[in-house]
Amino acid sequence: MASLRLSGLRHRLLEPVELSLESGELAFVSGPSGSGKSLLLRAIADLDPHEGEAWIGDQARSSMPAPVWRRRVGFLPAESFWWADRVGEHLPPAEPALKDWLERLGFGPETLDWSIARLSTGERQRLSLVRLLAQRPEVLLLDEPTANLDPNNRDRVESLIEGYRQDASASLLWVSHDPDQRRRLDGRSLLIRDGRLEPESWA
Amino acid sequence: MGMIHLTPWDLALAALLVLLLALMSWRLHLGVERRILIAAARSTVQLMLVGLVLKVLFAQTSLPLIGLMAMVMLSAAGFEVMQRQKRRYRGIWGYGIGAFSMFLSSFTVTVLALNLVIGVEPWYQPQYLIPLLGMLLGNTMNGVAIALENLTRQAWESRGRIEARLLAGGTWEQAIGDIRRDALRSGLIPIVNAMGSAGLVSLPGMMTGQILAGSPPLEAAKYQLLIMFLISGGTGLGSVAAVWLGSRRLFDERQRLRLDRLRTV
């Protein structure tokens, strides 16, 4: 399975980033709000113009069409958006793990018929994770995927993500403000300070 | 039946109505009396000038002069389309997308109609070409302006939704598809409505003018039909071109949504 490598990647708030994640490796990114964490993920997903290059395994981002890159390097924005009316229209029905994923987040199969307009923020956030996993990404870029969730649902989301990481040996870059979460899930910790991405030192 | 010539006195009588309107605006504190008078004065001067220009043009049938006139009309229409946009494309695109799509549609349809339908000799006889082109430009202009405005407004408001589709591995065309369809539909609605209600609610302006100028009503109706069909074809073509170019311009070569290519006025 593929790993993620960034070289000279920069946006307007950030010095060039050199970063390499093994396949199946988890790294947290933290930093004060407005420090450019989300912009970094947007840049990796190639949503904004920026400099630098990224690789998945040994394939450069510039060597593949942007839609292919975005499917393989899945980005979960902090706020989820939906384009059709019902939940099911956003998910591939042929995905074998779909039912299991929904169940592990506390949703029954009838969820697929739910109208998007009636979902709560937390439901949207959890379902958007299922939507992301259903595109079978090899790398996951997560922007505070548990921000609006109660502890129970937060645990469910964490365990689902962990399960996917191990099954698919996917590399994860996870923006999280919660020090407990970063300790709970065993991963590298990175910090954006003064426009630089650096390893976080535990005081 | 001959044509009844209007004297300046006749027009002055009609202009009294506009003065009355301005007076009313002043009495009721509507605050638009100045604009009413200026607009009335502008239309008087512009129409008289165009009348004079056309008189000279009609007398000569010179292709370069007619081409010049057509270009002036096109650039005015392009400017008008740009003026009506709340969010304009930066740079040459703000003017270019509208003007180019109108050029494409109005000029093609006009040339086709002159050669294949009306069949005048030579095809660029100004008495036919200029009014036809004017009608087409005027209506295409509406369609293009509405469609573009709709496209940019919706793209601006739906950034999250568009990017969600891109992130799901969609192409730019999938990501903007429903917005594009919606914008196109809105551009076509005015002409479809006009065709549906023509004759029942109002007599279209051109037909009215012809009848007043002494043409047999059935002949006027046939010309009006021709014009309406041409206009709907032209508006459709123009809106399709504008929406396609406009939506393409909203994305770059890496299929990123580039709202920074728009500026709000």
Side-chain angles (χ1 to χ4, degrees), chain B residues 87-234:
Chain B
R87 294 192 180 81
R88 297 176 195 162
Y89 291 86
R90 287 176 196 277
I92 182 79
W93 300 88
Y95 184 82
I97 292 176
F100 179 74
S101 6
M102 282 188 296
F103 170 75
L104 208 67
S105 59
S106 299
F107 281 58
T108 341
V109 172
T110 306
V111 171
L112 274 178
L114 287 171
N115 281 303
L116 301 179
V117 185
I118 305 179
V120 282
E121 254 324 305
W123 64 269
Y124 51 86
Q125 224 179 76
Q127 193 186 342
Y128 291 87
L129 190 148
I130 298 291
L132 213 53
L133 185 63
M135 291 288 262
L136 272 163
L137 271 178
N139 285 278
T140 314
M141 184 176 83
N142 273 328
V144 166
I146 295 173
L148 269 182
E149 165 74 19
N150 228 285
L151 177 75
T152 51
R153 181 175 48 77
Q154 288 200 55
W156 191 273
E157 287 165 3
S158 319
R159 174 176 169 172
R161 240 167 27 134
I162 297 172
E163 289 191 338
R165 295 206 78 161
L166 292 177
L167 286 172
T171 62
W172 70 272
E173 288 191 283
Q174 288 166 335
I176 193 107
D178 40 350
I179 290 177
R180 199 148 77 167
R181 271 191 295 281
D182 216 59
L184 205 49
R185 216 176 291 133
S186 68
L188 295 181
I189 282 174
I191 179 62
V192 172
N193 286 345
M195 279 201 290
S197 67
L200 284 179
V201 184
S202 67
L203 287 184
M206 189 199 96
M207 187 170 157
T208 314
Q210 267 193 314
I211 293 176
L212 286 180
S215 300
L218 204 56
E219 289 309 307
K222 283 195 271 184
Y223 260 93
Q224 185 62 51
L225 263 181
L226 172 69
I227 292 288
M228 282 208 146
F229 293 157
L230 296 181
I231 285 175
S232 46

Side-chain angles (χ1 to χ4, degrees), chain A residues 121-136:
Chain A
T121 318
E123 285 168 337
R124 279 179 200 224
Q125 195 169 22
R126 282 178 289 151
L127 285 169
S128 67
L129 175 65
V130 175
R131 189 178 83 194
L132 181 75
L133 295 186
Q135 71 194 53
R136 291 278 174 189

Side-chain angles (χ1 to χ4, degrees), chain A residues 42 46 64 66 70 82, chain B residues 159 161 163 167 169 254 256:
Chain A
R42 283 179 65 88
D46 212 0
M64 63 180 86
R70 294 191 190 114
W82 302 79
Chain B
R159 174 176 169 172
R161 240 167 27 134
E163 289 191 338
L167 286 172
R254 290 299 292 175
R256 308 172 184 124

Side-chain angles (χ1 to χ4, degrees), chain A residues 45-48 64-75 132 135 137, chain B residues 163 166-170 252 254-257:
Chain A
D46 212 0
L47 278 183
D48 296 318
M64 63 180 86
V68 175
W69 173 265
R70 294 191 190 114
R71 203 170 315 142
R72 295 177 66 182
V73 180
F75 172 34
L132 181 75
Q135 71 194 53
Chain B
E163 289 191 338
L166 292 177
L167 286 172
D252 63 14
R254 290 299 292 175
Q255 308 198 23
R256 308 172 184 124
L257 178 64

Side-chain angles (χ1 to χ4, degrees), chain A residues 82-94:
Chain A
W82 302 79
W83 54 88
D85 292 333
R86 311 213 159 263
V87 174
E89 292 172 69
H90 300 84
L91 300 168

